[in-house]
């Protein structure tokens, strides 16, 4: 079998839970640690225990707004949606988090989680006690840099959609960004499943659900992509990249 | 072409065994009571979540019939009490009230079909009310290929009423004929003249119906090639756009009405297949294309065109061009196919009414398709509609290695290949002209829920003699 299509993980990755000495292959931090010669036994010497959590099923919450902040979590498998609910009860989607990405970073400056995090499909997580990882980060500049990078990426992503973009640009940017993130984790960049519902995508992109479908249908008619149920295949990568470029600031 | 040139008696006997008609895979016996209203709601919600949600097809089941046809295996109620429809429609509207809100409003209805029973047990005024109620609750497409179709019993509808149906928006009709041979009509308790049938077909045409289908049945009691040939000639002369030639399955232990049929009046399997071949010859000579299973269509009919471009699909209503839609079944016994789920309403009217009177969605069983079910359903669809297995596409879509995944099925296919029903080539499985008459047997090889082989086991050496 060739490159896995998200969310079907490569069986080699799924099977790879790491062990006392090795990191899981989806670990968001392994590179930072290993580059400083810190393997898992070195980490356990520092009492940085990593909790594997899950599987959580679609609709289960990982944390809710106002819960006491204890840990950041890296997604090992599946998709996590973060969102807040406004005073009128309307949901606002903040982001979607894929394998290798971290949730809970926006809680760092407070005592409580400032948003909700819910599993969209079957999700596996690694939880890191935040106080402990910050101690570790102080000793490992690489880890600190990695944390800052993840943090700024989180902020950057949220800012992307603030601009005055068309529906076409928003959707193209969404698909291109998703494709790149999946490619980084070894998934196929051209074929993947949208694990989030249409209303979630629409909410995240500040569009009406009908608009999401209308634009996708038009993209499909133009041969830019193909949609079959939840599965998307990107066919006209260049066109999508061109549309997405201003949004993704390239 | 005589029977013997296509099939030997021996071959015929081996393949003449009951099997599903694959209007769904998995088939209804796999549905389970674990699947109820909550699961249906979830399935509907998930289907709304697709980036481009599928369009909707609606099916309305009208269970009543004025008179019992003895061959019938449908879910129906024989009554002459026309007032029963009011009580039925009241429940149907309740079901529409409960069901419609489950689906996002921007999902267009591309097809509405009335089946039965006898849908024209309802008066045109009642049918108008049903269509209008549905239009209020669902978003009907304005596209010219949006269909409103109905199964008609020509004995109980007048040309004037056809004009009323056309005014409501009906644009396709399917007429039950079965056989014009008076002896057969007597044996199945369905006396229907050529004149009244032709009058209805002509009224459909005069009122702008896009397509008219005629149903015939082979294998009925007292049926013989001469009489059936006359029926076929008569039908061909009227030239309906589509003709379905169904096989009669005699299952008196399952269908009470069939107990009125004397088993000794039934044609032998040889005669029965002869009748089918007669139909195939006559219809194809007359310019009809064989679509598959039991369906024929004129080349300019949408069904034939859809098959040519690979857009043909098969569901509970038979073959359809509306491939990419979720099916919502309304009424007693109706089956829905939403997203990756099947679900069915109670088959008895008391339970169906009871659920609705209590304010519940009347689902009594169903199932959620596993990845394996979806793969096999997809494969069987292609077999039934395109006459081939798209190996490369399935491997890619489901991330499997076809030969190892279907090693068992391929082994079961071997004898069928030897009998000339399928052609097995590297990367390619195609159904032969002969195989198209035995599509079920071929599909059965891929059915995970059947543990028997597709033919009655015959020792391999017996054929060498």
């Amino acid at each position: 079998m060739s490159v896995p299509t998200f969310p079907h993980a490569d069986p080699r990755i799924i099977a790879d839970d790491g062990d006392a000495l090795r990191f899981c292959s989806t670990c968001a931090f392994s590179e930072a640690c290993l580059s400083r010669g810190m393997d898992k036994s070195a980490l356990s010497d520092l009492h940085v225990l990593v909790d594997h959590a899950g599987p959580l099923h679609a609709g289960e919450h990982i944390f809710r707004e106002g819960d006491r902040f204890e840990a950041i979590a890296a997604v090992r498998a599946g998709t996590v949606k973060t969102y807040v609910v406004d005073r009128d009860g309307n949901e606002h989607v903040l982001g979607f988090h894929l394998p290798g990405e971290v949730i809970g970073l926006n809680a760092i400056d407070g005592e409580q989680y400032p948003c909700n995090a819910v599993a969209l499909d079957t999700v596996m997580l690694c939880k890191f006690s935040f106080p402990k990882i910050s101690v570790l980060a102080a000793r490992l500049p690489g880890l600190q840099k990695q944390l800052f990078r993840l943090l700024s990426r989180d902020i950057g992503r949220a800012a992307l959609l603030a601009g005055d973009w068309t529906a076409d640009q928003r959707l193209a940017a969404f698909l291109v960004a998703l494709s790149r993130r999946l490619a980084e984790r070894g998934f196929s960049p051209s074929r993947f499943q949208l694990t989030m519902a249409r209303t979630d995508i629409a909410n995240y992109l500040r569009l009406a659900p009908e608009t999401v479908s209308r634009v996708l249908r038009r993209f499909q008619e133009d041969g830019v992509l193909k949609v079959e149920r939840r599965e998307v295949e990107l066919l006209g990568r260049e066109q999508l990249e061109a549309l997405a470029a201003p949004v993704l600031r390239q | 072409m005589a029977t013997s040139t296509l099939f030997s008696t021996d071959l015929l006997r081996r393949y003449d065994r009951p099997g599903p008609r694959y209007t769904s895979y998995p088939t209804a016996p796999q549905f389970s009571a674990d699947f109820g209203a909550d699961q249906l709601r979830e399935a509907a919600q998930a289907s709304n979540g697709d980036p481009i949600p599928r369009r909707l097809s609606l099916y309305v089941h009208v269970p009543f019939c004025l008179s019992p046809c003895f061959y019938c295996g449908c879910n129906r109620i024989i009554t002459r009490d026309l007032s029963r429809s009011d009580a039925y429609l009241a429940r149907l509207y309740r079901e529409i009230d409960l069901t419609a809100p489950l689906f996002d409003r921007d999902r267009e209805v591309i097809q509405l079909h009335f089946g039965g029973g006898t849908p024209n047990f309802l008066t045109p005024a009642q049918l108008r009310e049903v269509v209008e109620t549905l239009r209020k609750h669902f978003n009907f497409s304005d596209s010219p290929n949006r269909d409103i179709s109905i199964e008609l019993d020509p004995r109980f509808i007048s040309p004037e009423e056809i004009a009323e149906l056309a005014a409501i928006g009906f644009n396709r009709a399917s007429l039950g004929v079965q056989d014009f041979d008076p002896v057969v009509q007597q044996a199945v308790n369905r006396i229907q003249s050529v004149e009244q049938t032709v009058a209805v077909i002509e009224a459909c045409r005069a009122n702008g119906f896009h397509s008219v289908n005629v149903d015939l049945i082979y294998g009925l009691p007292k049926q013989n090639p001469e009489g059936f040939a006359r029926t076929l000639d008569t039908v061909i002369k009227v030239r309906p756009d589509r003709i379905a030639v169904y096989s009669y399955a005699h299952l008196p232990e399952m269908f009470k009405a069939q107990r009125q049929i004397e088993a000794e009046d039934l044609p032998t399997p040889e005669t029965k297949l002869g009748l089918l071949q007669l139909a195939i010859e006559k219809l194809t000579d007359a310019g009809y294309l064989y679509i598959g299973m039991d369906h024929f269509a004129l080349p300019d009919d949408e069904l034939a065109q859809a098959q040519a471009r690979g857009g043909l699909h098969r569901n509970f209503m038979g073959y359809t061009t509306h491939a990419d839609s979720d099916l919502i079944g309304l009424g007693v016994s109706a089956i829905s196919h939403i997203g990756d789920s099947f679900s069915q309403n109670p088959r008895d009217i008391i339970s169906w009414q009871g659920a609705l009177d209590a304010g519940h969605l009347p689902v009594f069983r169903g199932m959620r398709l596993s990845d394996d079910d979806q793969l096999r359903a997809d494969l069987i669809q292609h077999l039934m509609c395109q006459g081939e297995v798209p190996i490369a596409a399935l491997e890619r879509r489901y991330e499997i290695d076809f030969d190892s995944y279907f090693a068992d099925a391929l082994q079961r296919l071997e004898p069928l290949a030897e009998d000339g029903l399928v052609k097995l080539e590297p990367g390619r499985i195609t159904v032969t002209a002969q195989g198209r008459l035995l599509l079920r047997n071929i599909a059965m090889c891929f059915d995970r829920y059947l543990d028997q082989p597709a033919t009655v086991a015959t020792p391999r050496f017996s054929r060498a003699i």
Side-chain angles (χ1 to χ4, degrees), chain B residues 74-138:
Chain B
C74 301
N75 185 300
R76 90 268 202 261
I77 296 159
I78 309 299
T79 178
R80 296 211 160 250
D81 177 5
L82 295 177
S83 69
R84 288 198 67 172
S85 40
D86 291 326
Y88 187 77
L89 291 180
R91 268 52 171 249
L92 183 72
Y93 298 150
R94 201 162 294 171
E95 186 178 8
I96 295 169
D97 269 336
L98 290 171
T99 309
L102 304 182
F103 298 90
D104 280 353
R105 189 68 195 175
D106 68 322
R107 299 181 68 178
E108 291 188 334
V109 170
I110 191 68
Q111 181 180 31
L112 163 59
H113 181 75
F114 287 78
T118 307
N120 54 306
F121 184 91
L122 301 180
T123 63
Q126 287 172 320
L127 287 166
R128 174 185 290 280
E129 192 184 68
V130 177
V131 173
E132 279 175 0
T133 305
L134 287 167
R135 280 180 173 279
K136 250 180 253 156
H137 284 79
F138 290 96

Side-chain angles (χ1 to χ4, degrees), chain A residues 33-198:
Chain A
C33 297
L34 288 172
S35 66
R36 297 290 296 186
M38 296 210 88
D39 61 13
K40 251 182 142 175
S41 61
L43 291 184
S44 78
D45 288 347
L46 290 164
H47 304 285
V48 181
L49 292 176
V50 177
D51 267 347
H52 279 183
L56 286 96
H57 299 291
E60 281 187 68
H61 276 79
I62 295 144
F63 52 76
R64 290 181 191 269
E65 186 171 354
D67 285 355
R68 221 177 91 86
F69 172 57
E70 280 164 342
I72 58 172
V75 181
R76 295 176 55 226
T79 313
V80 174
K81 174 179 86 172
T82 47
Y83 68 98
V84 289
V85 178
D86 69 19
R87 244 177 298 170
D88 300 327
N90 300 312
E91 180 176 319
H92 299 275
V93 176
L94 300 179
F96 306 104
H97 307 267
L98 306 171
E101 300 179 346
V102 177
I103 53 172
L105 288 171
N106 55 355
I108 285 176
D109 78 334
E111 299 270 287
Q112 298 173 334
Y113 289 108
C115 65
N116 305 281
V118 64
L120 292 183
D121 51 354
T122 305
V123 163
M124 310 277 273
L125 296 168
C126 262
K127 288 189 170 175
F128 306 85
S129 136
F130 188 71
K132 282 176 181 158
I133 204 163
S134 26
V135 170
L136 185 64
R139 300 174 62 151
L140 289 178
L143 180 58
Q144 193 168 48
K145 220 166 108 192
Q146 171 74 347
L147 272 172
F148 285 142
R149 226 173 70 199
L150 290 168
L151 194 56
S152 71
R153 199 194 267 185
D154 227 33
I155 295 163
R157 227 177 256 154
L160 289 184
L161 295 161
D164 186 16
W165 314 114
T166 66
D168 288 31
Q169 288 173 315
R170 283 167 196 267
L171 260 165
F174 175 70
L175 293 170
V176 167
L178 202 59
S179 151
R180 287 185 192 161
R181 285 154 68 191
L182 290 172
E184 261 179 54
R185 293 292 149 186
F187 292 104
S188 163
S190 57
R191 211 156 64 87
F192 46 84
Q193 296 218 3
L194 292 174
T195 44
M196 57 298 277
R198 173 171 79 137

Side-chain angles (χ1 to χ4, degrees), chain B residues 282-302:
Chain B
K282 280 197 171 281
L283 294 176
T284 48
D285 283 353
Y288 284 88
L289 298 177
Y290 184 39
I291 301 294
M293 285 292 285
D294 18 43
H295 288 63
F296 297 82
L298 288 174
D300 59 352
D301 186 82
E302 272 175 36

